[in-house]
PDB file of all heavy atoms in Angstrom:
ATOM      1  N   ARG G  67      82.410 112.448  83.784  1.00 98.00           N
ATOM      2  CA  ARG G  67      82.829 112.922  85.104  1.00 98.00           C
ATOM      3  C   ARG G  67      83.268 111.739  85.977  1.00 98.00           C
ATOM      4  O   ARG G  67      82.613 110.701  86.023  1.00 98.00           O
ATOM      5  CB  ARG G  67      81.666 113.686  85.736  1.00 98.00           C
ATOM      6  CG  ARG G  67      81.856 114.063  87.200  1.00 98.00           C
ATOM      7  CD  ARG G  67      81.423 112.919  88.099  1.00 98.00           C
ATOM      8  NE  ARG G  67      80.924 113.358  89.379  1.00 98.00           N
ATOM      9  CZ  ARG G  67      80.420 112.535  90.282  1.00 98.00           C
ATOM     10  NH1 ARG G  67      80.338 111.245  90.050  1.00 98.00           N
ATOM     11  NH2 ARG G  67      79.986 112.994  91.419  1.00 98.00           N
ATOM     12  N   ASP G  69      84.744 111.185  90.064  1.00 98.00           N
ATOM     13  CA  ASP G  69      85.085 111.823  91.343  1.00 98.00           C
ATOM     14  C   ASP G  69      86.425 111.270  91.818  1.00 98.00           C
ATOM     15  O   ASP G  69      86.857 110.197  91.381  1.00 98.00           O
ATOM     16  CB  ASP G  69      83.977 111.604  92.386  1.00 98.00           C
ATOM     17  CG  ASP G  69      83.380 110.204  92.350  1.00 98.00           C
ATOM     18  OD1 ASP G  69      84.018 109.297  91.764  1.00 98.00           O
ATOM     19  OD2 ASP G  69      82.285 109.997  92.900  1.00 98.00           O
ATOM     20  N   ASP G  71      87.734 112.087  95.404  1.00 98.00           N
ATOM     21  CA  ASP G  71      88.013 112.302  96.830  1.00 98.00           C
ATOM     22  C   ASP G  71      87.888 110.996  97.622  1.00 98.00           C
ATOM     23  O   ASP G  71      87.267 110.035  97.175  1.00 98.00           O
ATOM     24  CB  ASP G  71      87.054 113.349  97.409  1.00 98.00           C
ATOM     25  CG  ASP G  71      85.586 112.952  97.243  1.00 98.00           C
ATOM     26  OD1 ASP G  71      85.222 112.464  96.152  1.00 98.00           O
ATOM     27  OD2 ASP G  71      84.801 113.114  98.196  1.00 98.00           O
ATOM     28  N   LEU G  73      87.639 109.176 101.876  1.00 98.00           N
ATOM     29  CA  LEU G  73      86.781 109.253 103.063  1.00 98.00           C
ATOM     30  C   LEU G  73      87.613 109.305 104.348  1.00 98.00           C
ATOM     31  O   LEU G  73      88.733 108.780 104.392  1.00 98.00           O
ATOM     32  CB  LEU G  73      85.891 107.997 103.122  1.00 98.00           C
ATOM     33  CG  LEU G  73      84.749 107.938 102.122  1.00 98.00           C
ATOM     34  CD1 LEU G  73      84.319 106.503 101.879  1.00 98.00           C
ATOM     35  CD2 LEU G  73      83.567 108.771 102.615  1.00 98.00           C
ATOM     36  N   GLY G  93      87.549 104.528 100.301  1.00 98.00           N
ATOM     37  CA  GLY G  93      86.570 103.511 100.683  1.00 98.00           C
ATOM     38  C   GLY G  93      85.342 103.509  99.797  1.00 98.00           C
ATOM     39  O   GLY G  93      84.368 102.816 100.081  1.00 98.00           O
ATOM     40  N   CYS G  94      85.373 104.304  98.723  1.00 98.00           N
ATOM     41  CA  CYS G  94      84.204 104.357  97.841  1.00 98.00           C
ATOM     42  C   CYS G  94      84.616 104.106  96.394  1.00 98.00           C
ATOM     43  O   CYS G  94      83.800 104.177  95.482  1.00 98.00           O
ATOM     44  CB  CYS G  94      83.492 105.701  97.994  1.00 98.00           C
ATOM     45  SG  CYS G  94      81.748 105.648  97.559  1.00 98.00           S
ATOM     46  N   GLY G  95      85.917 103.840  96.190  1.00 98.00           N
ATOM     47  CA  GLY G  95      86.376 103.479  94.844  1.00 98.00           C
ATOM     48  C   GLY G  95      86.587 104.645  93.898  1.00 98.00           C
ATOM     49  O   GLY G  95      86.715 104.454  92.687  1.00 98.00           O
ATOM     50  N   HIS G  96      86.657 105.865  94.446  1.00 98.00           N
ATOM     51  CA  HIS G  96      86.857 107.015  93.555  1.00 98.00           C
ATOM     52  C   HIS G  96      88.258 106.983  92.927  1.00 98.00           C
ATOM     53  O   HIS G  96      88.471 107.594  91.876  1.00 98.00           O
ATOM     54  CB  HIS G  96      86.619 108.331  94.309  1.00 98.00           C
ATOM     55  CG  HIS G  96      85.214 108.460  94.865  1.00 98.00           C
ATOM     56  ND1 HIS G  96      84.753 109.571  95.507  1.00 98.00           N
ATOM     57  CD2 HIS G  96      84.165 107.587  94.841  1.00 98.00           C
ATOM     58  CE1 HIS G  96      83.482 109.385  95.874  1.00 98.00           C
ATOM     59  NE2 HIS G  96      83.116 108.183  95.495  1.00 98.00           N
ATOM     60  N   HIS G  99      87.440 105.160  89.817  1.00 98.00           N
ATOM     61  CA  HIS G  99      86.703 105.992  88.842  1.00 98.00           C
ATOM     62  C   HIS G  99      87.672 106.928  88.114  1.00 98.00           C
ATOM     63  O   HIS G  99      87.600 107.081  86.894  1.00 98.00           O
ATOM     64  CB  HIS G  99      85.626 106.827  89.543  1.00 98.00           C
ATOM     65  CG  HIS G  99      84.655 106.010  90.352  1.00 98.00           C
ATOM     66  ND1 HIS G  99      83.867 106.544  91.334  1.00 98.00           N
ATOM     67  CD2 HIS G  99      84.362 104.676  90.325  1.00 98.00           C
ATOM     68  CE1 HIS G  99      83.110 105.597  91.874  1.00 98.00           C
ATOM     69  NE2 HIS G  99      83.402 104.452  91.281  1.00 98.00           N
ATOM     70  N   GLU G 128      83.032 114.733  96.376  1.00 98.00           N
ATOM     71  CA  GLU G 128      81.710 114.115  96.171  1.00 98.00           C
ATOM     72  C   GLU G 128      81.134 113.680  97.513  1.00 98.00           C
ATOM     73  O   GLU G 128      79.940 113.821  97.761  1.00 98.00           O
ATOM     74  CB  GLU G 128      81.815 112.909  95.225  1.00 98.00           C
ATOM     75  CG  GLU G 128      80.456 112.380  94.773  1.00 98.00           C
ATOM     76  CD  GLU G 128      79.718 111.584  95.833  1.00 98.00           C
ATOM     77  OE1 GLU G 128      80.352 110.810  96.579  1.00 98.00           O
ATOM     78  OE2 GLU G 128      78.486 111.743  95.947  1.00 98.00           O
ATOM     79  N   GLU G 129      82.007 113.155  98.383  1.00 96.00           N
ATOM     80  CA  GLU G 129      81.522 112.641  99.679  1.00 96.00           C
ATOM     81  C   GLU G 129      80.969 113.761 100.552  1.00 96.00           C
ATOM     82  O   GLU G 129      80.149 113.503 101.422  1.00 96.00           O
ATOM     83  CB  GLU G 129      82.643 111.887 100.422  1.00 96.00           C
ATOM     84  CG  GLU G 129      83.169 110.645  99.698  1.00 96.00           C
ATOM     85  CD  GLU G 129      82.161 109.498  99.639  1.00 96.00           C
ATOM     86  OE1 GLU G 129      81.075 109.609 100.232  1.00 96.00           O
ATOM     87  OE2 GLU G 129      82.478 108.481  98.987  1.00 96.00           O
ATOM     88  N   HIS G 155      79.649 104.739  88.753  1.00 98.00           N
ATOM     89  CA  HIS G 155      80.059 104.372  90.123  1.00 98.00           C
ATOM     90  C   HIS G 155      80.048 102.853  90.263  1.00 98.00           C
ATOM     91  O   HIS G 155      79.135 102.187  89.789  1.00 98.00           O
ATOM     92  CB  HIS G 155      79.125 104.981  91.163  1.00 98.00           C
ATOM     93  CG  HIS G 155      79.776 105.151  92.505  1.00 98.00           C
ATOM     94  ND1 HIS G 155      80.181 104.088  93.280  1.00 98.00           N
ATOM     95  CD2 HIS G 155      80.133 106.264  93.180  1.00 98.00           C
ATOM     96  CE1 HIS G 155      80.742 104.549  94.397  1.00 98.00           C
ATOM     97  NE2 HIS G 155      80.732 105.863  94.358  1.00 98.00           N
ATOM     98  N   ASN G 156      81.074 102.343  90.934  1.00 98.00           N
ATOM     99  CA  ASN G 156      81.148 100.902  91.191  1.00 98.00           C
ATOM    100  C   ASN G 156      80.158 100.518  92.283  1.00 98.00           C
ATOM    101  O   ASN G 156      79.819 101.328  93.139  1.00 98.00           O
ATOM    102  CB  ASN G 156      82.572 100.536  91.588  1.00 98.00           C
ATOM    103  CG  ASN G 156      82.876 100.932  93.010  1.00 98.00           C
ATOM    104  OD1 ASN G 156      82.752 100.134  93.934  1.00 98.00           O
ATOM    105  ND2 ASN G 156      83.232 102.201  93.236  1.00 98.00           N
ATOM    106  N   SER G 325      72.850 108.606  97.993  1.00 93.00           N
ATOM    107  CA  SER G 325      72.749 109.850  97.224  1.00 93.00           C
ATOM    108  C   SER G 325      74.082 110.183  96.569  1.00 93.00           C
ATOM    109  O   SER G 325      75.120 109.689  96.981  1.00 93.00           O
ATOM    110  CB  SER G 325      72.340 110.999  98.147  1.00 93.00           C
ATOM    111  OG  SER G 325      71.189 110.657  98.866  1.00 93.00           O
ATOM    112  N   GLU G 326      74.045 111.075  95.566  1.00 96.00           N
ATOM    113  CA  GLU G 326      75.210 111.348  94.718  1.00 96.00           C
ATOM    114  C   GLU G 326      75.119 112.788  94.233  1.00 96.00           C
ATOM    115  O   GLU G 326      74.083 113.187  93.700  1.00 96.00           O
ATOM    116  CB  GLU G 326      75.063 110.378  93.553  1.00 96.00           C
ATOM    117  CG  GLU G 326      76.084 110.133  92.561  1.00 96.00           C
ATOM    118  CD  GLU G 326      77.498 110.536  92.704  1.00 96.00           C
ATOM    119  OE1 GLU G 326      77.772 111.698  92.418  1.00 96.00           O
ATOM    120  OE2 GLU G 326      78.357 109.688  93.027  1.00 96.00           O
ATOM    121  N   TYR G 339      73.790 108.476  84.921  1.00 98.00           N
ATOM    122  CA  TYR G 339      74.634 107.962  85.998  1.00 98.00           C
ATOM    123  C   TYR G 339      74.571 106.436  85.933  1.00 98.00           C
ATOM    124  O   TYR G 339      73.496 105.846  86.055  1.00 98.00           O
ATOM    125  CB  TYR G 339      74.107 108.460  87.346  1.00 98.00           C
ATOM    126  CG  TYR G 339      75.042 108.180  88.487  1.00 98.00           C
ATOM    127  CD1 TYR G 339      76.213 108.914  88.643  1.00 98.00           C
ATOM    128  CD2 TYR G 339      74.763 107.182  89.418  1.00 98.00           C
ATOM    129  CE1 TYR G 339      77.079 108.663  89.698  1.00 98.00           C
ATOM    130  CE2 TYR G 339      75.620 106.934  90.471  1.00 98.00           C
ATOM    131  CZ  TYR G 339      76.768 107.681  90.605  1.00 98.00           C
ATOM    132  OH  TYR G 339      77.638 107.433  91.649  1.00 98.00           O
ATOM    133  N   LEU G 355      80.690  99.392 100.103  1.00 97.00           N
ATOM    134  CA  LEU G 355      81.280 100.730 100.071  1.00 97.00           C
ATOM    135  C   LEU G 355      81.368 101.297 101.495  1.00 97.00           C
ATOM    136  O   LEU G 355      80.525 101.004 102.329  1.00 97.00           O
ATOM    137  CB  LEU G 355      80.403 101.672  99.230  1.00 97.00           C
ATOM    138  CG  LEU G 355      80.223 101.309  97.749  1.00 97.00           C
ATOM    139  CD1 LEU G 355      79.138 102.195  97.123  1.00 97.00           C
ATOM    140  CD2 LEU G 355      81.524 101.455  96.976  1.00 97.00           C
ATOM    141  N   HIS G 356      82.381 102.092 101.733  1.00 96.00           N
ATOM    142  CA  HIS G 356      82.599 102.820 102.996  1.00 96.00           C
ATOM    143  C   HIS G 356      82.997 101.899 104.151  1.00 96.00           C
ATOM    144  O   HIS G 356      82.957 102.328 105.296  1.00 96.00           O
ATOM    145  CB  HIS G 356      81.371 103.666 103.400  1.00 96.00           C
ATOM    146  CG  HIS G 356      81.116 104.821 102.469  1.00 96.00           C
ATOM    147  ND1 HIS G 356      80.477 105.977 102.846  1.00 96.00           N
ATOM    148  CD2 HIS G 356      81.421 105.009 101.157  1.00 96.00           C
ATOM    149  CE1 HIS G 356      80.383 106.815 101.816  1.00 96.00           C
ATOM    150  NE2 HIS G 356      80.953 106.235 100.765  1.00 96.00           N
TER     151      HIS G 356
HETATM  152 ZN1   ZN F 402      81.310 107.166  95.842  1.00 59.89          ZN
END
Side-chain angles (χ1 to χ4, degrees):
R67 171 274 210 176
D69 40 17
D71 58 317
L73 286 157
C94 205
H96 299 184
H99 304 161
E128 190 285 321
E129 298 291 355
H155 205 294
N156 76 95
S325 308
E326 190 15 277
Y339 190 74
L355 298 170
H356 292 207

